[in-house]
Amino acid sequence: MTDAPHLSNDPPEGDWADRMEQAVLDAAVQRAPALGWNGRMVRAACEANGLSRGDEELLFPNGARDLAALLSRRHDDRAMASLAEVDPKSLKIRERIARAVSARMEAGAADLEATRRCAAFLALPTNTDLGLKLAWETADLLWNWAGDTATDWNHYSKRAILSGILIPALTMRWFDGKDAADAFVARRIENVMAFEKWKAGKDFDAPLRRMTDALSRMRYGAKAPQ
């Protein structure tokens, strides 16, 4: 009787491309403080991992933009790992968002010099589209952790508002320090909560209904059809 095959409990390794992307990102984080976040940095990071220009073009067709996206998602993963130790239900909603934003800021601060170079790169007019997309991804993750289950327009408005907080908050964290960023986040969350309190109970659909009623009367006469 032959022995049963050994089944490892270790998680399966990612494929070569995934592992190489992370290795190149590690090298990029090391080199960005001296080289900046640019094509020269990408080439140096790839060379450090023995990649030819052909391999580089296959793995990173968008060059430094691809590595910027990888760095942002690494920081997202790092923040979510930190937040996994927190029960969001034990916090008020404003505390959840403050805690989530703080975790994301500190996740990026662990690679501070490289993160600063990457932030400057994403601030360029040619890269703002990517910066907005990555901020939305982060906002979505943080709201999901906070327990948001909205599926209507509130789903999108919450993420848009949080993206608008994240972008300047992260920039302040990288360049002005933690205290300035924390104070900014606290003020913005207070502003948002005050707006939500003011908005509660107000019928913002009323103008649209009045316009629809007016158009119906113009088309069908004094009384619109039921």
Side-chain angles (χ1 to χ4, degrees):
M1 180 177 178
T2 59
D3 292 334
H6 173 69
L7 299 178
S8 173
N9 291 323
D10 296 329
E13 291 185 354
D15 62 21
W16 176 86
D18 291 337
R19 286 182 280 116
M20 185 55 70
E21 282 178 349
Q22 295 303 313
V24 172
L25 180 58
D26 288 339
V29 167
Q30 294 174 0
R31 289 160 177 76
L35 299 178
W37 204 272
N38 50 43
R40 189 158 66 103
M41 180 270 297
V42 178
R43 179 85 288 266
C46 287
E47 285 180 345
N49 285 277
L51 295 180
S52 67
R53 286 192 176 274
D55 291 332
E56 176 186 331
E57 291 173 1
L58 286 173
L59 276 177
F60 308 105
N62 299 301
R65 283 171 61 95
D66 288 336
L67 278 173
L70 284 173
L71 182 62
S72 179
R73 289 161 188 160
R74 173 181 285 185
H75 292 163
D76 285 344
D77 290 343
R78 192 179 290 165
M80 297 311 296
S82 172
L83 290 170
E85 301 175 2
V86 181
D87 178 8
K89 293 180 181 178
S90 67
L91 305 172
K92 295 180 179 179
I93 187 63
R94 69 177 66 195
E95 294 171 336
R96 297 180 200 181
I97 298 306
R99 186 69 170 265
V101 173
S102 178
R104 181 57 176 80
M105 290 193 299
E106 296 316 299
D111 304 312
L112 185 56
E113 292 304 320
T115 302
R116 284 174 173 167
R117 303 310 189 274
C118 186
F121 172 79
L122 290 173
L124 295 173
T126 52
N127 299 321
T128 52
D129 62 319
L130 177 60
L132 291 171
K133 178 178 183 293
L134 294 173
W136 184 279
E137 286 184 6
T138 300
D140 185 48
L141 284 171
L142 299 186
W143 266 119
N144 288 341
W145 171 81
D148 178 57
T149 58
T151 57
D152 57 5
W153 68 273
N154 282 300
H155 173 92
Y156 301 98
S157 65
K158 287 179 178 179
R159 283 147 183 80
I161 290 170
L162 186 52
S163 295
I165 294 175
L166 274 168
I167 292 173
L170 293 174
T171 301
M172 292 184 74
R173 177 63 184 89
W174 313 150
F175 296 98
D176 298 323
K178 186 177 187 304
D179 291 344
D182 285 343
F184 169 81
V185 171
R187 290 194 303 270
R188 287 301 307 273
I189 290 176
E190 189 61 35
N191 291 342
V192 170
M193 297 304 292
F195 172 73
E196 291 296 325
K197 183 178 180 180
W198 171 82
K199 187 176 70 172
K202 291 181 169 59
D203 187 358
F204 289 97
D205 291 333
L208 179 61
R209 287 200 304 274
R210 287 197 293 271
M211 183 179 69
T212 302
D213 290 344
L215 291 173
S216 296
R217 286 194 295 271
M218 290 172 62
R219 180 174 183 180
Y220 297 107
K223 184 177 181 180
Q226 300 299 314

